[in-house]
Amino acid sequence: MGVKLIDLSMPVHNEMMTFPRVPPPKIEMHESWEEFAERIGAAQYGATWLTATYRLELNDHVGTHIDARKHLVAEALGPEGIPLEYCYADGVLLDFRHKEKGSGITAAEIREALDKIGYRLKPLDIVLIWTGAGAYQNEQRYLTDHCGMTREATLWLIDQGIKVMGIDAITFDPPVWAMFERKQFWEAHLVMREREYYHIENMTNFDQIPRPYGFKVAAFPIKWVGTTAAPVRAVAIVEE
């Protein structure tokens, strides 16, 4: 029996799509291979090609990242406080690609999706919400064409013992235009003010996961201290 690793993470580069008002990354070479060799003094001894480095300027909400409770609760810990045992668990993939763009996923629809695949959640499962937006993450419609989670659906999952949830969209909630249309702003995010949970945004490649459950998800955050989120390299681990 072999193991297949499926990358669920969005590439990070200077031209990538980011959430409105979140600046894209700035990635540039800091020192080339030759420049380092010259600066350290090794070039005069014939070692003219050594190590290169890059400089990165990166917002904590760029690319595939996990939101810490500090995103909504000022006194809460940042990514350094997310328990690692929450970040490696059995995965469950729920398909909501049929949902209208801008709509909110209800608790009843979460239950229906679970019934459809014949799965009962257990504490610490990692639940993945499949909107379909991950398939066009390099297009402008990535910012607008997806459904999202509601407050009631998020609370229902937490009540089942779920601590980490993920979505293949730029935000866990419906898109900004839909929030303004309904005058309901980041209601799923705001659940963090009441309950402990963490969500991963900007995931991708859900279509490569071969079954809706029976796989592991690993999504360990970089141990940034005191920020509101941190990058993760999310991976599905499937035994074949």
Side-chain angles (χ1 to χ4, degrees):
M1 181 179 293
V3 172
K4 182 179 182 181
L5 301 180
I6 301 168
D7 192 351
L8 306 180
S9 304
M10 186 180 192
V12 175
H13 54 88
N14 289 333
E15 290 76 38
M16 70 185 296
M17 197 71 65
T18 60
F19 193 81
R21 301 186 66 82
V22 170
K26 293 181 181 179
I27 304 174
E28 59 184 15
M29 180 164 278
H30 170 65
E31 195 168 44
S32 73
W33 304 268
E34 299 93 343
E35 288 169 341
F36 177 78
E38 288 285 347
R39 180 179 62 80
I40 205 170
Q44 64 181 315
Y45 300 106
T48 60
W49 182 280
L50 294 176
T51 58
T53 58
Y54 273 73
R55 179 188 294 115
L56 287 79
E57 181 179 315
L58 187 66
N59 185 281
D60 62 358
H61 278 72
V62 163
T64 306
H65 64 274
I66 188 168
D67 284 356
R69 289 193 70 215
K70 194 175 183 67
H71 193 26
L72 277 299
V73 183
E75 64 274 16
L77 293 173
E80 80 281 7
I82 301 174
L84 292 182
E85 58 266 28
Y86 293 175
C87 302
Y88 177 73
D90 289 333
V92 184
L93 179 62
L94 301 181
D95 190 351
F96 294 101
R97 289 176 295 169
H98 60 280
K99 287 278 291 179
E100 183 180 355
K101 310 307 181 188
S103 62
I105 300 166
T106 67
E109 288 172 324
I110 294 284
R111 292 192 293 269
E112 289 169 6
L114 287 165
D115 288 343
K116 184 175 181 179
I117 64 173
Y119 187 82
R120 182 171 182 175
L121 291 174
K122 62 184 184 300
L124 299 188
D125 281 346
I126 295 178
V127 176
L128 304 180
I129 305 298
W130 191 3
T131 72
Y136 42 84
Q137 61 187 14
N138 295 317
E139 302 175 31
Q140 192 65 30
R141 61 179 172 144
Y142 184 60
L143 304 179
T144 58
D145 291 4
H146 63 86
C147 60
M149 289 288 282
T150 61
R151 169 185 166 82
E152 63 158 339
T154 304
L155 284 169
W156 188 84
L157 286 174
I158 295 170
D159 286 342
Q160 313 314 305
I162 306 305
K163 296 295 188 182
V164 172
M165 313 166 197
I167 196 167
D168 66 334
I170 202 161
T171 182
F172 197 62
D173 284 85
V176 172
W177 66 264
M179 287 192 277
F180 271 87
E181 187 175 89
R182 293 194 289 272
K183 305 298 186 290
Q184 296 173 325
F185 301 105
W186 281 277
E187 291 192 340
H189 274 73
L190 287 167
V191 170
M192 287 185 177
R193 299 177 66 177
E194 308 165 39
R195 306 282 296 274
E196 183 195 21
Y197 96 97
Y198 311 93
H199 58 242
I200 307 167
E201 297 169 319
N202 288 323
M203 302 184 81
T204 191
N205 294 333
F206 285 175
D207 61 311
Q208 295 183 26
I209 300 175
R211 47 186 178 266
Y213 58 90
F215 61 94
K216 296 283 188 180
V217 174
F220 297 109
I222 294 177
K223 200 172 184 179
W224 284 354
V225 177
T227 60
T228 65
V232 301
R233 184 65 180 268
V235 175
I237 305 165
V238 183
E239 289 191 356
E240 297 181 309

